[in-house]
Amino acid sequence: MALVILCTGCNAGRQQEALAEPDTYAYSIRTKEELRSFFSLDKADIIVSGHRGGSFADYPENCLETMKRIIQNMTTFYEIDPRLTSDSVAVLLHDTTLDRTTTGKGTLRETSYAEVSKLFLKNAKGVTTPYRVPTLNEVLEWSRDKVILHIDQKEIPFTAMSELVHRMDLHNIVFSSQVPSNARYMVSVDPDVMIIAWMHSMEEFRKFEEAGVLGNIVAVWVCTDSIGKDQQELAAVLRANGIRVMVATATSRDRHRAAFSSHPDIIETDYPLDFIGWKNVRR
């Protein structure tokens, strides 16, 4: 599978209109130390993350042009969703089906890359845009010396993803992990892997601690919307271990203020540009 994924950059250079413009807020991550430094709590600010690659106006989710536009306006990093076509080409798509976000129909796993490459992406309102479904390879290559990518593990084995990242000599990648056993496995495959974990309680924190993976975790998603009173201890312990506390507003702009007011270290949102100019937000 890794060899197939490594060949998925066949349409790189297809989307030149967005790629031709400057990346005003791009940044270079060339070592694991620089990756850790990006998430360091010493900066005492709030980082905004683009959920599903972010979106705004006519720019859809998991879209290379969208990510390009956002990095021209603010410092961020992107959570992305790689999945496989029927012929095992890795592309970015959150859903298992094509219907919601593309002009196609049916499941991605039953559709060839040749077919997917002809589809157009839809924006959040379901309106067709001129943008295509990007391959994982072209997004990874574009991200080099520009931005951190947070890879949400869907169906592609971590071993294949790790091999791909190492062969491309990328140091700007973090991976998600929802359970301690998965995080422990990831560390056994790649001792230097950087992880964004899911923890909602002190009990879950202790399980990750027992798994011996805290040193690989740079951030933890603790809740949707805002940090509650019952999570204050968890937030304090995470920060004491040098780990950023993340909340997610996801698709709801109405919850931005509540999320911000709970004083997180990272806010993950579909609409990162909404936070430009907010106090303490990294710019």
Side-chain angles (χ1 to χ4, degrees):
M1 181 176 292
L3 293 176
V4 174
I5 295 172
L6 286 167
C7 295
T8 60
C10 54
N11 60 348
R14 180 186 62 199
Q15 299 157 326
Q16 293 300 313
E17 182 265 336
L19 296 178
E21 299 187 11
D23 305 301
T24 307
Y25 292 92
Y27 50 90
S28 177
I29 302 291
R30 298 186 179 182
T31 66
K32 290 296 181 182
E33 290 71 24
E34 290 177 346
L35 182 57
R36 285 185 179 276
S37 178
F38 180 90
F39 290 101
S40 171
L41 286 166
D42 293 342
K43 295 181 174 60
D45 58 6
I46 298 173
I47 304 171
V48 174
S49 168
H51 180 240
R52 301 180 189 175
S55 62
F56 68 98
D58 295 328
Y59 287 84
E61 66 180 55
N62 278 309
C63 172
L64 185 54
E65 287 84 357
T66 304
M67 291 184 273
K68 179 69 177 183
R69 294 298 185 195
I70 293 171
I71 204 66
Q72 290 170 0
N73 291 277
M74 70 184 300
T75 300
T76 187
F77 70 98
Y78 300 112
E79 182 258 3
I80 59 173
D81 304 282
R83 289 188 182 277
L84 296 174
T85 62
S86 62
D87 45 351
S88 295
V89 175
V91 299
L92 299 198
L93 196 76
H94 178 270
D95 302 356
T96 58
T97 58
L98 298 161
D99 305 54
R100 181 180 66 86
T101 58
T102 80
T103 51
K105 300 290 183 183
T107 63
L108 176 66
R109 209 63 180 93
E110 296 176 340
T111 308
S112 70
Y113 177 69
E115 296 173 279
V116 171
S117 67
K118 297 175 184 178
L119 303 176
F120 292 94
L121 290 167
K122 296 177 184 178
N123 67 13
K125 296 181 179 180
V127 177
T128 300
T129 74
Y131 309 121
R132 306 278 190 171
V133 178
T135 65
L136 173 62
N137 263 49
E138 66 181 323
V139 173
L140 288 175
E141 188 57 50
W142 167 80
S143 75
R144 187 190 303 273
D145 296 330
K146 288 185 176 66
V147 69
I148 290 168
L149 297 179
H150 169 202
I151 296 180
D152 189 5
Q153 295 185 83
K154 299 294 186 184
E155 59 199 18
I156 304 176
F158 175 72
T159 50
M161 290 298 308
S162 179
E163 180 183 354
L164 173 61
V165 168
H166 280 285
R167 289 198 183 188
M168 294 183 72
D169 194 28
L170 296 172
H171 303 279
N172 60 320
I173 309 299
V174 296
F175 291 91
S176 64
S177 180
Q178 298 183 24
V179 295
S181 58
N182 174 249
R184 185 171 57 245
Y185 171 72
M186 292 164 63
V187 173
S188 73
V189 172
D190 178 6
D192 294 324
V193 65
M194 296 288 100
I195 297 171
I196 292 181
W198 291 23
M199 300 180 207
H200 308 305
S201 66
M202 282 301 301
E203 180 182 2
E204 291 180 338
F205 170 83
R206 293 186 185 99
K207 291 179 180 178
F208 275 92
E209 185 178 35
E210 291 169 2
V213 297
L214 291 185
N216 296 81
I217 297 174
V218 295
V220 166
W221 178 68
V222 299
C223 60
T224 300
D225 297 338
S226 58
I227 304 168
K229 291 182 179 179
D230 58 338
Q231 293 178 315
Q232 293 300 320
E233 181 185 3
L234 173 61
V237 169
L238 289 171
R239 288 168 179 147
N241 281 272
I243 298 171
R244 282 191 175 249
V245 177
M246 183 168 75
V247 300
T249 62
T251 60
S252 178
R253 282 178 157 140
D254 296 336
R255 297 168 181 166
H256 281 3
R257 184 62 61 182
F260 187 82
S261 298
S262 69
H263 307 294
D265 305 306
I266 300 174
I267 296 177
E268 186 178 71
T269 173
D270 284 12
Y271 308 103
L273 293 180
D274 287 0
F275 287 93
I276 288 179
W278 287 40
K279 186 178 180 180
N280 295 330
V281 167
R282 186 174 298 185
R283 187 78 200 273

